[in-house]
Structures are given as C-alpha cells and as structure tokens.
Amino acid sequence: MKFEDFTSPEDVTIGKMSVEDVKRIIKKVFKSSKFLLAILLILGIMGQSIYTINEQEEGVVFRFGKYINTTNAGMHFKIPLIDDVVKVKTTIQSFTFGYDELTDVDNIVSELENEEAEMITKDFNFVKTDFFIEYKVQNGFDFLMKTDGALEIVKNMVSSSIRSVVNTYTVDEVLTSAKEEIQSKVKENVNDKLMDKQIGLILTQVTLQDSEPSTNEIKLAFDSVENARQEKNTMLNEAQRYRNEVIPKAQSDADKIVQDAEGEKQGLISEAEGQRIRFLNLYNEFVKNKEVTKSRLYLETMEAVLKDVKKVIDFDGSTKVLNIGETNKSIVPIGGSENEK
C-alpha cells in the first residue's frame, strides 16, 4: 500500500496510534501543563503573601515605599509585589563605657578609654567608672527611618548623662554607697532623652561595673575606708542578730511575769471579796444574836491561836499546866517534874 492510497489524514497511524489519538494526548498534556502552571502560580503568590515574624523581631510594612504598620511575632499577610516587609531585631544588645570587653581581659586600657572613664565628682575629685549598657529596639519604624547612626546617638547620650550624674555625688559616694542611685538616674535620664528624640531605642539596664580613684594612693585610702565600713556592717549585723535573739526571750519572760501578777491579783481580789462577804454574814449574825456570836468568835479565835501551842498555864485558882496535844497527860502542877516543859 502506498501513502497516496490513504483517503484522509485521519487514516494515518503511528505505530498503533492514529493522528487523532496523538492530538488528544497533546491536548490533555497541554491542559495538564496549564493546570500545573496555575497551581505553581497560586503557590508562588501565596508564598509571597505570607510572612512570619519571630518572637524577638518586629516587621515594618511598607506599601509602595510608604509606611503602613508594624507587626509583631506570628504569621501575617501582605500584598505580593506591592508590600515590602523589613524585619528588625528586638533582642537585647549591649556596649561598654570606660573599658573595652576585649582588652579588659588582659588589663589593657587605651588612652581613649582612660579619658572616657575619668570624670569629676561633686567635691572636685577624679574618679574612674566602668559601665555596662544594655539596650534594645523599642520601635522598629523609628529605628529604621527617623535617624542615621542611632547607636552612636545613644552612646553620646550615655556619656553625657553619666558625667552629669556622677558630678552630683562626692567621690566617697561614687566609690561606696551611691552606685545603685547612679545606675538608676543614668538609665532614667537617657530614656527620657530617647523618648524625646524618638529614634526607636531604649535602655533596658545600666550597670556600674566598677569605680575607683584616679591614683593608687587614694585607692588604698578608700579601700581602708571600705574595709572599715564592711567591718561596721558585720558588727551591726551581729548586734542585730543578738538583739533578735534576746528581745523575744525577754519579752516572753516579761509576759509570763505579767500573767503571773495578773493571776495573783485576781486571787487576792477573790480572797478579799470572800472575806468581805464573810464579814457581812458575820455582822448580820452578830446583829441578830450578839452574845452567841461573841462566844463563837472567841472560841474560833482561841482555836486559831492555840492551834500550834503544846502547853498552857492556867492561873484560875491553883496554878496548873495544861498539856495540849498529848493524850497521855492532862493537867500537871507547876511544881511538878522539872523535865516537864
């Protein structure tokens, strides 16, 4: 069979497949490719539309170069090819004042650092101070847009504030008791200035690492003062501890004495009240029958008086000795045995 014998192109076969079969396959592949491209395009758009901000970041969103908003940690959406997001780290960072962290390990201090660390106190003495400053980005947009060299501005503010604050204290206060106050005032002053400047940074911590006199002789003198101060504090602590031990015990003893006295007081009051009632009852009986009451009182009184008496001399008529409490003896004349008492 020759090729010219085919009446139409549909009758042409490729192997066992006709031209129509090939066309159908090509159409299916073309449709599948368009579908795949559409899916890829959608995924690409979605990938450009979603962005993630970490915990210690801020996302500053710009649309056609104009600031829109700031986003915090989490997943967010943006318009692809239109919105642009700049991520700003908000982690705490640090710098030093008066010393260099790298050279300080080897006790090497440059001339510039010496000049930075040395300042004048209220009583016109020189003192060296070392500070460790911690800061972070508080507002990402301000940090990006409001100014250039924000960190240098902060360093200058810190230097100025430290000198002005130290100048309000004596050298003794700077070296000993005023360190916490100085730290607090420097941080407060610098943060107030940063709020006014709106450069997006804020101090989180100011630490006065060390302060020392400018000469060794003064340093030795202040070391002696500091040692004496520490000894004083130790003695005060020991005295306070002794006070805390002694006072509660003394207070307890005092409370016991008061309680015992209060109990004795109530006992005496009760006894006096009983005697008062007894006297009133006795008086009432006396008013009713005076002779009987007098005899009764006499006998009760004699009973109380003679309670511990062993012998009584009776001068009624003949002189006799009455042995009381002895069952085998009765009345013995005075002229009796000399051994009788």
Side-chain angles (χ1 to χ4, degrees):
M1 182 180 292
K2 296 181 180 179
F3 183 79
E4 291 80 0
D5 295 335
F6 291 108
T7 57
S8 65
E10 286 79 4
D11 294 332
V12 177
T13 60
I14 301 175
K16 293 183 179 182
M17 296 176 60
S18 66
V19 173
E20 286 299 321
D21 292 334
V22 173
K23 287 181 179 180
R24 284 194 297 270
I25 292 172
I26 291 173
K27 288 180 180 180
K28 289 181 179 178
V29 170
F30 184 71
K31 289 180 180 179
S32 300
S33 299
K34 289 196 294 184
F35 180 72
L36 181 61
L37 288 173
I39 291 176
L40 292 175
L41 180 61
I42 292 171
L43 291 176
I45 293 173
M46 291 181 64
Q48 292 292 322
S49 302
I50 299 173
Y51 67 95
T52 302
I53 301 296
N54 296 328
E55 283 293 333
Q56 296 183 336
E57 287 181 338
E58 281 187 355
V60 183
V61 183
F62 297 91
R63 183 169 298 163
F64 296 115
K66 182 180 179 181
Y67 171 72
I68 300 299
N69 65 344
T70 300
T71 55
N72 297 319
M75 185 177 291
H76 304 276
F77 294 91
K78 67 174 183 176
I79 302 175
L81 306 178
I82 296 177
D83 291 347
D84 186 24
V85 179
V86 180
K87 296 181 180 180
V88 179
K89 291 184 178 181
T90 59
T91 54
I92 295 177
Q93 303 178 66
S94 63
F95 64 88
T96 60
F97 177 88
Y99 72 102
D100 184 77
E101 288 184 291
L102 298 178
T103 59
D104 188 61
V105 175
D106 299 324
N107 294 323
I108 302 174
V109 182
S110 67
E111 182 178 347
L112 178 61
E113 291 160 1
N114 251 326
E115 182 180 348
E116 182 182 65
E118 196 171 72
M119 48 196 66
I120 302 175
T121 60
K122 180 181 179 180
D123 51 354
F124 303 105
N125 283 297
F126 286 94
V127 65
K128 294 179 181 179
T129 57
D130 299 337
F131 283 84
F132 185 75
I133 311 298
E134 297 176 79
Y135 69 96
K136 71 172 185 176
V137 174
Q138 186 185 35
N139 187 298
F141 173 72
D142 289 342
F143 178 71
L144 291 174
M145 305 300 296
K146 292 294 183 70
T147 184
D148 294 330
L151 181 57
E152 290 302 319
I153 293 175
V154 172
K155 287 184 177 180
N156 291 334
M157 288 182 179
V158 167
S159 176
S160 174
S161 179
I162 288 175
R163 293 184 185 281
S164 62
V165 171
V166 170
N167 188 247
T168 62
Y169 292 91
T170 65
V171 64
D172 181 58
E173 291 171 335
V174 174
L175 296 177
T176 55
S177 60
K179 290 185 177 182
E180 292 185 2
E181 292 182 15
I182 293 173
Q183 294 173 171
S184 177
K185 286 185 178 181
V186 169
K187 179 182 176 182
E188 183 179 353
N189 291 348
V190 174
N191 281 337
D192 288 343
K193 294 178 181 178
L194 290 174
M195 291 295 291
D196 293 337
K197 292 289 185 181
Q198 293 184 349
I199 61 175
L201 295 178
I202 187 172
L203 299 190
T204 59
Q205 185 66 38
V206 174
T207 305
L208 178 54
Q209 299 270 76
D210 189 24
S211 58
E212 59 183 16
S214 57
T215 63
N216 289 331
E217 291 78 6
I218 298 176
K219 185 177 184 301
L220 292 174
F222 275 100
D223 287 343
S224 299
V225 172
E226 182 62 22
N227 291 335
R229 192 188 305 275
Q230 291 179 359
E231 290 179 3
K232 170 190 171 183
N233 292 334
T234 301
M235 296 177 68
L236 287 175
N237 292 334
E238 291 177 354
Q240 184 67 28
R241 184 170 59 251
Y242 177 74
R243 176 180 181 273
N244 293 336
E245 292 175 357
V246 171
I247 288 182
K249 184 178 182 303
Q251 187 65 44
S252 176
D253 294 342
D255 292 340
K256 184 176 182 304
I257 292 172
V258 171
Q259 291 174 0
D260 292 344
E262 187 66 27
E264 186 175 355
K265 168 189 170 183
Q266 294 299 328
L268 292 174
I269 291 175
S270 299
E271 182 180 354
E273 182 65 22
Q275 292 179 356
R276 184 184 70 85
I277 294 173
R278 178 175 174 275
F279 178 78
L280 290 176
N281 293 334
L282 188 61
Y283 176 75
N284 292 333
E285 292 297 326
F286 179 77
V287 171
K288 293 177 183 178
N289 195 334
K290 295 183 180 181
E291 293 301 327
V292 173
T293 304
K294 286 169 65 177
S295 299
R296 177 185 165 193
L297 289 175
Y298 175 77
L299 293 175
E300 289 178 354
T301 303
M302 293 304 297
E303 181 181 4
V305 171
L306 299 176
K307 180 179 180 181
D308 297 323
V309 176
K310 302 300 182 181
K311 298 179 179 181
V312 177
I313 300 175
D314 182 16
F315 292 98
D316 186 14
S318 60
T319 302
K320 300 175 182 177
V321 177
L322 178 63
N323 292 287
I324 300 177
E326 298 183 16
T327 56
N328 59 345
K329 295 182 180 181
S330 57
I331 298 175
V332 179
I334 290 181
S337 175
E338 294 180 355
N339 296 325
E340 291 294 339
K341 296 183 181 177

